[in-house]
Amino acid sequence: AATAKSIASGQTGVLHVGYQSLVLHSTTVHRIIRKFRRDYANVRLVFTLMTYQQQFEGLRDRSIDMGLIHQDVMPDKKFETQILAKERIEFIFPKDHFLAHQAELKLADLSEQPFILPKRDELPVFHDKLLSNWAAHGLEPRIAAETDSFASTAQLVAGGIGISYGD
């Protein structure tokens, strides 16, 4: 009976969380997860990497309890959203890249650099905003590669394949 009460009260159990790759790199999300772990130490978190479309499907079929998405994507009004953070976009470079230690950069400074971007189907709003920002400045990024996860992007950047956006 005590176990049933602790599950019903949210003190124990499992919380299935869908997430997009870039989301777990957010310091704000880290802080929220640490607080959740402090408040609900007996609740196990199960994270599953999913596109936003897969997350909405998972919420509909109840295979996940919540989803963490990047940007303002809400094609299904049946779900409630809450903005956890608004973070500015920063660039990531290989350690030895000549622009890596510049105090200030303009988008034009990066126009000749090979870029690694998320695949559009992974982060469509983010992807489109990045490209429209370039276009607004009369520029177009030199896309060297597209990836389906921030971990892949970071590895390619570290390997000197190109530069990218990160947080």
Side-chain angles (χ1 to χ4, degrees):
T3 302
K5 282 185 181 180
S6 67
I7 290 171
S9 69
Q11 296 301 312
T12 64
V14 177
L15 183 66
H16 293 273
V17 182
Y19 72 95
Q20 285 181 297
S21 63
L22 199 56
V23 171
L24 292 187
H25 293 275
S26 166
T27 56
T28 302
V29 172
H30 296 165
R31 184 176 38 76
I32 291 167
I33 294 169
R34 283 192 304 271
K35 181 179 181 338
F36 181 88
R37 296 294 309 133
R38 280 193 305 275
D39 295 347
Y40 302 97
N42 293 321
V43 174
R44 183 168 43 104
L45 298 171
V46 177
F47 291 93
T48 303
L49 180 62
M50 306 170 94
T51 65
Y52 79 93
Q53 298 99 326
Q54 291 169 326
Q55 288 183 57
F56 288 122
E57 184 59 36
L59 290 167
R60 277 190 285 277
D61 69 20
R62 301 190 186 279
S63 60
I64 62 172
D65 301 303
M66 68 177 291
L68 297 172
I69 60 175
H70 193 267
Q71 292 291 339
D72 47 348
V73 178
M74 185 42 81
D76 194 327
K77 301 294 183 198
K78 294 178 185 174
F79 303 112
E80 182 179 324
T81 62
Q82 183 174 19
I83 295 173
L84 300 178
K86 289 189 178 197
E87 298 176 332
R88 63 181 227 180
I89 296 174
E90 297 180 356
F91 296 101
I92 55 174
F93 301 91
K95 281 185 179 181
D96 60 351
H97 194 281
F98 73 97
L99 293 173
H101 304 290
Q102 297 292 320
E104 268 190 48
L105 290 170
K106 292 183 175 21
L107 208 49
D109 298 332
L110 307 172
S111 63
E112 297 302 317
Q113 302 304 307
F115 260 84
I116 302 165
L117 294 179
K119 287 182 181 176
R120 188 178 185 285
D121 63 335
E122 174 67 17
L123 297 168
V125 174
F126 182 69
H127 187 274
D128 292 349
K129 282 185 179 181
L130 293 177
L131 294 181
S132 67
N133 190 34
W134 279 84
H137 288 86
L139 301 167
E140 187 175 333
R142 203 175 109 212
I143 301 172
E146 295 184 61
T147 65
D148 59 1
S149 74
F150 184 72
S152 299
T153 298
Q155 289 299 315
L156 291 173
V157 169
I161 309 305
I163 64 176
S164 192
Y165 295 95
D167 41 317

